[in-house]
Amino acid sequence: MTPEQALPKPGRWPVPRGLEGRTAAGLMRLVRAPSVTLWAVLASRVVVLVAGAYGVLVPRGWEFSPLSTHLGAAGNALLGPATRFDAAYYLSIASHGYTSRPDLPVFFPLYPLLIHGLSYLTGSDVIAGVAISWASFGIALVLLHRLAELELGNRAADATVLLLAFTPLSFFFTAVYTESLFLLLSVGTIYAARRERWALAGILGALATLTRVTGILLVVPILIMHLPSRRRPGRHLGWVLLMPAALVGYLAFLAASGFSWLAPFQDEAHWDRHTTGPIGGIELAVRLAIRSAGAIVRGAHPLYNPTRFGPLSPAGQSIYLLLVLLIAGVALASCLRRLPLEYGAFAAIALMMCISSPRPGQPLFSLDRFVLTIFPLWMAAGAWIAKRHLERPAVVIGAILLAFYTIQFARGSFIA
């Protein structure tokens, strides 16, 4: 029997612990990128690099932070688009810690800490941040392909990585943002648990928690996945405690540094976010979208109105974000139907957290970026696309929109 024949059929759970993953051959199979994954990473990043350079070299006159000008004209054209907006906060923390602004604790420490460490080799925080994002994205897609292949089959796995690589906002995966690192760690956590590597799952989950607050939600799928395994339950469950321990450790560090214990949550008010719960967030979003649609129909507001605040008018953005939520809801329903419970549980609570703290005037602010890392939704969408053989049109449409949004972001127009 070949190694590929030894793989479990899609959707089977659990996978028994065997030699695979502990031998050199198993490790080689883990890191070997399938051709589709490699093509998805390289082709989508070419789109991002070319479109980003165009956005820098042919600006619209909007102001943006000159964080990469020290790299020269060519370096600024290639890496400048990766340093817009929130990237400035991660770079500031990497250079100066959390002391420069009182509202920085909402940005969790692992990514800026890695930037700080790697910058000793690269000589530049910007180069370090981009390198971490690129590497994390590539490895994350390899692991996501393997995970989707286990659950849904090879064609759905191919479609999953293609969709995620070419989704219109995937330029965030190679920007100085936490999207790619968090995707890598969250997918790695579930993949390790799927292979019953509980210690590795606990460590990766703890690192994910130190990357974004939603990392703590990985406790839920890990506990669900642990139920079928009855061997040494106490020892296995002990690794799960690393995730809440990581969160407590970060909060303790903030308290020792002069911040409030709950600073990451209290500081949401500095960013105009107020917790209402998912129902309140949805209600506000629906009401705003209805009013916005009426204003557009009456001609009071345009739909497309590119400014430094985004390519759509505020009314158009409200409708667009509600559409993103509806699509995410459909993907969640498909996820609950097609995938084991742990995937749907993680996707559901992650999506609810994303919409539970609305901003006045735009309740679903940044939702289109937040859903990038809720990978079970992309697995379900990939299975749907693969079943209907729609991979090619999905990639073509996604690449066009990816180029458009990358240009806007590179020019200093706020996206998500």
Side-chain angles (χ1 to χ4, degrees):
M1 179 180 293
T2 67
E4 295 298 331
Q5 290 172 330
L7 285 173
K9 295 181 180 179
R12 297 237 0 228
W13 167 256
V15 175
R17 185 188 302 203
L19 291 178
E20 180 186 340
R22 286 181 287 178
T23 64
L27 291 173
M28 287 299 295
R29 292 185 63 224
L30 177 63
V31 301
R32 186 181 67 236
S35 58
V36 171
T37 304
L38 181 61
W39 183 88
V41 172
L42 295 179
S44 65
R45 295 315 95 180
V46 168
V47 173
V48 170
L49 285 174
V50 172
Y54 177 83
V56 171
L57 297 173
V58 188
R60 287 286 293 268
W62 302 321
E63 296 181 2
F64 51 81
S65 54
L67 298 176
S68 57
T69 53
H70 67 284
L71 300 174
N76 184 52
L78 292 175
L79 301 185
T83 64
R84 305 295 187 249
F85 301 102
D86 285 4
Y89 302 119
Y90 292 112
L91 294 172
S92 175
I93 296 169
S95 297
H96 310 294
Y98 286 94
T99 59
S100 59
R101 287 183 50 155
D103 52 358
L104 289 180
V106 297
F107 299 98
F108 275 47
L110 181 60
Y111 184 54
L113 183 63
L114 292 176
I115 292 174
H116 180 74
L118 188 58
S119 67
Y120 287 106
L121 297 178
T122 63
S124 167
D125 287 346
V126 172
I127 295 176
V130 171
I132 292 167
S133 292
W134 273 73
S136 298
F137 183 52
I139 301 171
L141 285 194
V142 172
L143 293 179
L144 181 59
H145 188 281
R146 295 193 64 78
L147 184 61
E149 186 178 21
L150 285 174
E151 302 293 5
L152 299 166
N154 185 68
R155 178 152 194 162
D158 289 347
T160 298
V161 297
L162 287 171
L163 277 178
L164 192 53
F166 285 96
T167 192
L169 268 59
S170 76
F171 61 83
F172 280 113
F173 287 123
T174 38
V176 185
Y177 276 64
T178 58
E179 266 64 26
S180 56
L181 180 62
F182 184 74
L183 179 69
L184 167 61
L185 294 171
S186 57
V187 172
T189 299
I190 301 301
Y191 184 74
R194 180 69 167 82
R195 310 302 298 184
E196 294 190 9
R197 304 292 188 265
W198 303 110
L200 181 58
I203 293 170
L204 293 176
L207 293 175
T209 303
L210 292 174
T211 304
R212 293 172 80 159
V213 65
T214 46
I216 192 64
L217 302 180
L218 290 166
V219 168
V220 174
I222 297 303
L223 289 176
I224 295 174
M225 297 170 83
H226 185 271
L227 293 177
S229 176
R230 301 183 183 278
R231 292 174 294 178
R232 294 175 294 182
R235 179 181 176 183
H236 291 164
L237 284 175
W239 291 108
V240 179
L241 296 178
L242 287 177
M243 289 177 253
L247 179 59
V248 171
Y250 176 51
L251 299 179
F253 162 77
L254 292 175
S257 301
F259 294 95
S260 166
W261 271 86
L262 299 178
F265 312 102
Q266 295 170 342
D267 287 350
E268 290 290 344
H270 287 282
W271 304 92
D272 296 326
R273 289 189 177 276
H274 305 278
T275 301
T276 64
I279 301 300
I282 293 173
E283 181 181 1
L284 290 172
V286 170
R287 289 182 177 179
L288 180 59
I290 291 174
R291 291 199 303 268
S292 298
I296 291 173
V297 170
R298 293 193 306 270
H301 295 286
L303 178 62
Y304 177 71
N305 184 37
T307 68
R308 65 187 305 269
F309 300 105
L312 300 177
S313 67
Q317 186 76 358
S318 301
I319 298 171
Y320 157 73
L321 288 172
L322 182 61
L323 180 61
V324 169
L325 178 60
L326 291 174
I327 294 173
V330 172
L332 176 61
S334 178
C335 180
L336 291 168
R337 186 175 68 255
R338 293 174 180 268
L339 291 166
L341 175 61
E342 55 267 18
Y343 294 92
F346 174 65
I349 57 177
L351 187 60
M352 285 191 291
M353 178 174 280
C354 291
I355 62 178
S356 293
S357 299
R359 286 185 61 170
Q362 200 59 271
L364 301 180
F365 189 77
S366 293
L367 177 65
D368 45 346
R369 175 165 61 89
F370 295 156
V371 297
L372 288 175
T373 57
I374 308 180
F375 64 90
L377 301 181
W378 296 96
M379 292 171 64
W384 189 89
I385 290 289
K387 184 177 181 180
R388 292 157 180 81
H389 305 283
L390 295 175
E391 295 94 333
R392 181 170 297 179
V395 167
V396 171
I397 295 172
I400 294 171
L401 292 174
L402 174 59
F404 170 77
Y405 276 102
T406 302
I407 291 171
Q408 301 298 314
F409 191 71
R411 288 173 168 172
S413 179
F414 183 83
I415 307 293

